[in-house]
Amino acid sequence: MNIEIKQAHGEGGGPAKKLIEDVFLSRFRSVPLHRMMDASVLPMPKEGRLAVTTQSCVVRPVVFPGGDIGRLAVMRAVNNLAVVGAQPRLISIAFILEEGLSGDLLERVVASAAKAAAEATVEVVAGDTRVVEKGEIDRIAITVTAFGVLAEEHNLHGLLVREGDVIILNAPIAEHGAAVIANRNGLSGSGLASDARSLHQLARIAFESGGVRRMTDVSRGGLAGAVIRMVRDAGVGVDLQQKLIPLRQPVADLCADLMIDPVYVPSAGILAAIVTPEAAPGIIAKWRRIKGGEKAAVIGRVKAVPRGDVALVKTDGNITHLELKSSVMLPQVG
């Protein structure tokens, strides 16, 4: 699409109508969306409960090895549903575009979002587009609201976590953040790529196996943030074993060069869960048989005290106490 995005593309007239038809409707092939009504009217699920989440996404650069902002925004939203046990069904997606944006880049991002939605088996039923003046944002920002159905209630309250429970995850950490940081800094040929993917199948396997106490996706704040969020209301602590945490060497090397601890680097295709020690071997064995779960592992254990303490036992025996850190150290990673 050999155009540049202008203010007129966001103001509801002829240019906006053509942009919507040529770029968005040609890729999001949803009947409710194609009706072009002010709102999509949809049936409520006959059984189960409705789960809803909203995810805003900014990332610089908007295209990076392994994906782009379109894929990332969709996967972030549907994964928020997956880790509470919901089946993702529908999404609404809104694009904020910078004036002067390349039409070719927009087409790529929209096509990528559509492909991600198809992979996650969700239908795009509503959307919106706005254009802001050049310099007000970095090319594109996307907000996705995702709707899912929770057929079976999963009690994931932190009070159920017990001493001796274990922490498991499905794949090597920090892949997404490392790919974005490397690309941003011109480190081509680094062998890094974003791991943005749907976690629904992995989450469903865990819930069907039983024994899940808590579950979350590893996104902003990295593995450290995910584990801290899971245990902060549980009145327990956690010991993570550095030697057990899956981490690919190219990611480790980049983090070492930039003096960043990989446990704080965001992922986009990782879920972490606290499960009973009896359930862990079965879940991990099933995860290892499917894509995205080949490196699944137990990485730590719940302890009674100190409450709220998340300790990382390093390979040299030293212990670091992890804490929530501002994303300022890794801005706009998505």
Side-chain angles (χ1 to χ4, degrees):
M1 188 178 187
N2 191 24
I3 66 165
E4 281 191 355
I5 299 301
K6 302 188 181 302
Q7 288 287 340
H9 287 114
E11 294 179 354
K17 181 175 183 294
K18 181 170 175 56
L19 182 73
I20 290 169
E21 291 174 347
D22 291 352
V23 176
F24 294 97
L25 294 184
S26 65
R27 290 167 176 82
F28 297 138
R29 301 182 182 280
S30 159
V31 171
L33 194 64
H34 279 245
R35 288 175 180 152
M36 296 286 286
M37 303 291 286
D38 291 323
S40 293
V41 180
L42 306 163
M44 291 291 288
K46 294 181 180 180
E47 297 182 357
R49 301 175 68 185
L50 189 66
V52 183
T53 185
T54 296
Q55 182 79 40
S56 293
C57 189
V58 291
V59 59
R60 179 170 56 87
V62 297
V63 177
F64 42 82
D68 55 45
I69 191 173
R71 178 177 182 82
L72 183 63
V74 171
M75 291 307 184
R76 285 271 193 242
V78 298
N79 287 343
N80 283 350
L81 296 177
V83 296
V84 299
Q87 167 69 57
R89 293 284 180 83
L90 311 168
I91 63 172
S92 170
I93 187 165
F95 289 77
I96 308 296
L97 309 177
E98 181 187 27
E99 186 178 17
L101 177 73
S102 159
D104 289 338
L105 176 58
L106 178 60
E107 283 191 304
R108 170 183 172 149
V109 169
V110 173
S112 180
K115 182 179 178 182
E119 288 177 23
T121 63
V122 292
E123 183 179 13
V124 182
V125 295
D128 191 32
T129 306
R130 290 290 182 267
V131 179
V132 298
E133 291 182 2
K134 191 171 185 64
E136 290 190 357
I137 63 169
D138 188 2
R139 297 201 280 184
I140 304 175
I142 300 177
T143 296
V144 177
T145 298
F147 303 83
V149 176
L150 195 61
E152 180 182 350
E153 195 69 34
H154 301 289
N155 192 347
L156 301 178
H157 197 282
L159 294 177
L160 295 176
V161 177
R162 297 286 183 267
E163 181 179 6
D165 287 345
V166 297
I167 295 86
I168 62 174
L169 53 71
N170 61 294
I173 65 168
E175 297 280 331
H176 168 72
V180 172
I181 295 165
N183 191 251
R184 184 186 298 172
N185 288 279
L187 303 176
S188 60
S190 58
L192 301 172
S194 173
D195 58 349
R197 59 177 161 247
S198 170
L199 297 173
H200 175 254
Q201 185 181 13
L202 291 157
R204 179 175 53 80
I205 286 171
F207 284 120
E208 289 178 352
S209 298
V212 177
R213 308 284 205 194
R214 295 295 301 271
M215 184 184 292
T216 189
D217 64 320
V218 179
S219 53
R220 299 167 192 166
L223 177 64
V227 175
I228 290 169
R229 290 194 302 271
M230 287 195 293
V231 303
R232 64 187 170 190
D233 62 345
V236 296
V238 167
D239 281 339
L240 298 177
Q241 299 292 328
Q242 186 182 48
K243 65 183 179 181
L244 300 180
I245 298 172
L247 179 68
R248 290 198 312 119
Q249 195 59 50
V251 176
D253 291 344
L254 177 74
C255 291
D257 289 344
L258 298 178
M259 293 186 291
I260 301 170
D261 192 325
V263 298
Y264 290 106
V265 176
S267 298
I270 303 292
L271 62 79
I274 300 176
V275 304
T276 63
E278 296 80 13
I283 295 172
I284 287 173
K286 293 173 184 176
W287 279 359
R288 287 178 176 172
R289 291 197 288 266
I290 64 173
K291 187 175 181 179
E294 298 93 340
K295 301 295 184 181
V298 173
I299 62 167
R301 187 171 296 273
V302 174
K303 58 186 179 182
V305 291
R307 293 185 176 185
D309 177 63
V310 177
L312 178 65
V313 182
K314 299 291 191 73
T315 53
D316 61 8
N318 289 324
I319 296 176
T320 299
H321 298 276
L322 304 181
E323 57 188 22
L324 291 174
K325 292 192 176 182
S326 168
S327 61
V328 169
M329 61 185 290
L330 293 170
Q332 296 185 42
V333 176

